[in-house]
Every structure is written in structure tokens, then in C-alpha cells.
Amino acid sequence: EAEVAQSPRYKITEKSQAVAFWCDPISGHATLYWYRQILGQGPELLVQFQDESVVDDSQLPKDRFSAERLKGVDSTLKIQPAELGDSAMYLCASRRMANTGELFFGEGSRLTVL
Amino acid sequence: LAKTTQPISMDSYEGQEVNITCSHNNIATNDYITWYQQFPSQGPRFIIQGYKTKVTNEVASLFIPADRKSSTLSLPRVSLSDTAVYYCLVGDGTPSSNTGKLIFGQGTTLQVKP
């Protein structure tokens, strides 16, 4: 069964350092999402891609966060500099089309900022 | 985007049927209702999706009244492994926007006891 791949699974960093997360969606899935989930809360949408284009990044803290999906396949989410409040699970999800069908989530990347 | 309201937590016992109700008073005409399940340290997993009346699959049923302002996820004969957080989402199916933005609420933490 095809899966959404994410790496690293766990990341510990010190504040002010740079960190990057990678996501490889299910083949053929045009829509890709990055969510941030703080412990005890629901996932919060950070950015949505349709192919290589950003559809929605209204909740992305653009002073420190950036996301790209250059060839419309895999995607990278970067944080620079990391802050203590960025400690969370970063989830990537994909689906075949923008407005239909289920989301398939990866296992997530757990970030701890010290 | 329609906001959803769910109970924060629910308790049940093995073998019982569990019904989790979600309120979505300002659901749009074209919005679908989708439920996801999330275990600790994992990404959410699709359970079921519906538009109106009743939908049933191998793991759950979804009941949607005629006014569509609420929905009820029904889990038959729960087991300990059904202990998880359950999220109700409303969205998609908006032909004009085509953004496919999906917003998670706080979810309902279901605790199944032996």
C-alpha cells in the first residue's frame, strides 16, 4: 500500500538553529498539505500545494517558515530560526485532487526545540 | 469555512456502540463531512465521509440529518484498540473555490475501557 513518506521521524534542535522536514506524497497525488500539531491539539494547516503552486499559506509564519514543492512531487518545510514554541509534530498529507477524496497522512516529524 | 464542535472526551466500554456527534451549523451546500481517527504519535487516518443521510463502511457508520447541521459517527462494538482521537471535518466540494482546505478542530478523545 502506498504511503506518504516523511523524514526525519524525530528532530531535536536548539533554538535559533535551522531545521528542515521532507515529505514524499503518494505518487500521482497533486495536492499536498503541511500541518503542525501541538500536543493535545488538532492539526493546524500551515500550507497547501496544488502541484508546485501554493494554494494557501495564510497560517504559515512566513518570517521563519518556508515551504516549497519545486517539481510538484516532494516537498520541504523549513524553519529558520527555530523557536521554543515550534516544538510540535509536523504532518504531511496528500490526496489526488484538491477538493475530493481522503487525505493520506504520513507518520509525521516530531520536532523538539531546546 | 464551517466550524465544527465536538465533545472533548468520551468514555466507553469494550463491546459497546459509541456515537460521537459533531455540530456544524454553518455547513455550506456543497460541503462534505469527513471523520478521521488519530492514534498517539501517528498521522490521522480517514474513517468515513458522507454528504447526507447514512453512509456505512466496514468500520463505522455516519448519520447525517436532513438539515446537515450535525453528524454522528457510530462505532459498533468498540474494542480497546479504538481508543483514539476522532476528528470531524467539514469542507471540500466547493466548485468555485477548488481549494480543498480542510480544518481540524480539537477532536474527541475516546477512551475505551475493559
Side-chain angles (χ1 to χ4, degrees):
Chain A
E1 180 177 302
E3 295 181 345
V4 175
Q6 288 190 247
S7 66
R9 188 78 173 89
Y10 302 95
K11 177 71 176 178
I12 299 174
T13 191
E14 295 184 344
K15 63 180 181 178
S16 80
Q17 297 298 304
V19 62
F21 304 110
W22 175 80
C23 172
D24 190 11
I26 294 173
S27 178
H29 282 195
T31 310
L32 184 148
Y33 305 79
W34 282 101
Y35 286 87
R36 175 174 60 186
Q37 186 172 28
I38 295 171
L39 193 63
Q41 300 182 15
E44 171 194 11
L45 179 65
L46 292 177
V47 62
Q48 177 187 342
F49 289 93
Q50 181 64 29
D51 298 309
E52 68 278 5
S53 300
V54 173
V55 174
D56 188 317
D57 63 356
S58 57
Q59 299 304 310
L60 188 70
K62 299 182 186 63
D63 57 334
R64 299 185 299 108
F65 286 65
S66 64
E68 61 183 15
R69 193 184 183 198
L70 293 177
K71 297 183 179 179
V73 180
D74 58 337
S75 176
T76 301
L77 177 69
K78 297 179 180 178
I79 307 174
Q80 183 174 17
E83 296 182 351
L84 296 178
D86 296 332
S87 294
M89 175 78 84
Y90 291 84
L91 294 161
C92 178
S94 72
R95 61 177 171 177
R96 188 169 299 278
M97 296 175 64
N99 63 347
T100 186
E102 66 180 273
L103 288 180
F104 292 85
F105 282 84
E107 290 294 302
S109 295
R110 168 125 1 237
L111 172 66
T112 300
V113 182
L114 303 175
Chain B
L1 291 169
K3 178 181 177 181
T4 61
T5 303
Q6 305 174 231
I8 296 297
S9 63
M10 293 182 69
D11 289 341
S12 183
Y13 291 93
E14 282 191 294
Q16 288 187 333
E17 177 185 73
V18 171
N19 296 308
I20 306 174
T21 297
C22 178
S23 173
H24 29 80
N25 290 319
N26 58 339
I27 186 170
T29 302
N30 295 318
D31 282 343
Y32 282 78
I33 301 156
T34 312
W35 287 79
Y36 285 81
Q37 175 192 56
Q38 187 177 27
F39 298 111
S41 299
Q42 293 186 22
R45 185 180 68 174
F46 174 89
I47 301 175
I48 197 167
Q49 183 181 69
Y51 182 79
K52 62 180 179 179
T53 63
K54 177 183 175 181
V55 179
T56 298
N57 61 21
E58 62 276 9
V59 297
S61 294
L62 178 60
F63 298 92
I64 305 168
D67 66 5
R68 302 197 332 116
K69 294 184 182 298
S70 67
S71 59
T72 300
L73 174 71
S74 181
L75 304 172
R77 298 181 300 281
V78 295
S79 64
L80 296 176
S81 63
D82 292 317
T83 294
V85 180
Y86 292 83
Y87 295 97
C88 163
L89 280 73
V90 171
D92 295 341
T94 305
S96 59
S97 70
N98 199 35
T99 60
K101 188 172 181 176
L102 290 176
I103 305 298
F104 284 80
Q106 291 284 74
T108 297
T109 299
L110 173 64
Q111 179 70 50
V112 180
K113 303 175 182 178

